[in-house]
Amino acid sequence: MTVKSNHVMIKGIKDGLVFLMDDECDLEELLSELRYKLEHSHQNILSGPIIHVDVKLGSRVVTEDQKDAILQILKKKGNLLIRSIESPDAKNDLNDAKAITTITGIIRSGQVLHHEGNLLLLGDVNPGGTVSCTGHIFIMGALRGMAHAGSTGDEEAIISAAHFAPTQLRIAEVISRPPDEWEKREAGMEFAYLQNGQMQIDKTSNIVRLHRDFNAFKGV
């Protein structure tokens, strides 16, 4: 299939990419072009390190299902982190206090992922890699690098990983370097949180037991 129209424009900005969507063409035509461009163009950036994406739909009014269809196409590229989607009836901030943004990928040595809100990472953070979030960090993989939750000062943020073996943890302004014996123990599913200003480590299964101490889990 060859797509020659310009219903989807991809522009680089200082801290990511902007996808400008034609607001007058048929939605299915727009979706087809979006799929095509993600698969056949801009591969130097669309297959590289993790990058933030803002989607602008112009004056196009979309339903939740239509918005989700656009997001699902974009999410097939594991390195694209959707930061916002703008349309007349769309909620621009996708990372509110309770929302969790899911991305798939590996944070390799030297790479830094900054995220506004809560993050679920389906992948690993390798030694030398860093994940920094204003909210909670949930890693469904190995955390072997550095993680900073509550980066803007939220002391109720937590850091959780399926394989918990970080080189450094930070929650708000509290920094904890794991003791040497961590390297000798078998890493498992654990999470870090602050209690009386001190970094604590516990089994992930105990998050629910401690939920009353964390705003994000109140009312569960």
Side-chain angles (χ1 to χ4, degrees):
M1 180 181 70
T2 301
V3 177
K4 296 181 179 180
S5 59
N6 291 308
H7 297 317
V8 178
M9 302 291 291
I10 303 174
K11 294 187 176 182
I13 57 176
K14 183 178 179 180
D15 59 347
L17 295 175
V18 175
F19 280 66
L20 301 172
M21 308 292 197
D22 186 348
D23 54 13
E24 296 183 354
C25 70
D26 179 76
L27 180 62
E28 286 304 318
E29 189 176 351
L30 180 72
L31 296 179
S32 294
E33 182 175 338
L34 179 59
R35 293 189 193 95
Y36 181 85
K37 287 195 171 179
L38 289 176
E39 294 174 2
H40 298 95
S41 65
H42 298 80
Q43 293 307 304
N44 57 324
I45 53 176
L46 296 180
S47 60
I50 290 173
I51 189 167
H52 288 92
V53 169
D54 297 308
V55 179
K56 297 183 183 296
L57 298 177
S59 61
R60 182 188 297 273
V61 176
V62 293
T63 65
E64 287 299 312
D65 287 342
Q66 291 171 334
K67 183 174 70 173
D68 185 63
I70 294 171
L71 293 175
Q72 289 304 317
I73 293 173
L74 291 167
K75 287 178 180 179
K76 288 182 179 180
K77 286 289 184 179
N79 68 315
L80 298 184
L81 177 57
I82 314 305
R83 179 168 52 191
S84 68
I85 180 168
E86 297 180 11
S87 73
D89 291 339
K91 184 177 181 181
N92 291 341
D93 184 5
L94 298 182
N95 303 306
D96 61 27
K98 295 183 179 180
I100 299 178
T101 298
T102 302
I103 69 169
T104 302
I106 297 175
I107 311 302
R108 297 180 171 81
S109 178
Q111 293 184 331
V112 179
L113 170 61
H114 293 289
H115 178 64
E116 296 285 332
N118 305 315
L119 175 68
L120 172 62
L121 175 65
L122 305 180
D124 299 332
V125 180
N126 289 345
T130 299
V131 175
S132 175
C133 288
T134 59
H136 305 301
I137 298 174
F138 303 95
I139 300 173
M140 297 302 292
L143 171 57
R144 298 189 179 93
M146 186 271 193
H148 184 187
S151 60
T152 54
D154 183 3
E155 295 186 352
E156 295 182 335
I158 68 172
I159 301 169
S160 176
H163 182 87
F164 204 84
T167 55
Q168 185 188 88
L169 296 175
R170 183 171 178 176
I171 297 177
E173 298 303 317
V174 179
I175 300 174
S176 175
R177 294 181 181 276
D180 294 338
E181 57 263 27
W182 280 33
E183 299 178 359
K184 301 176 183 178
R185 88 193 207 298
E186 182 178 352
M189 296 182 65
E190 295 176 313
F191 75 104
Y193 63 99
L194 294 184
Q195 186 175 62
N196 299 322
Q198 300 294 319
M199 189 83 68
Q200 305 291 331
I201 308 296
D202 202 345
K203 294 182 179 179
T204 301
S205 58
N206 289 328
I207 288 181
V208 174
R209 179 175 62 82
L210 296 170
H211 76 269
R212 292 178 182 175
D213 296 326
F214 299 95
N215 286 337
F217 297 101
K218 286 182 179 179
V220 173

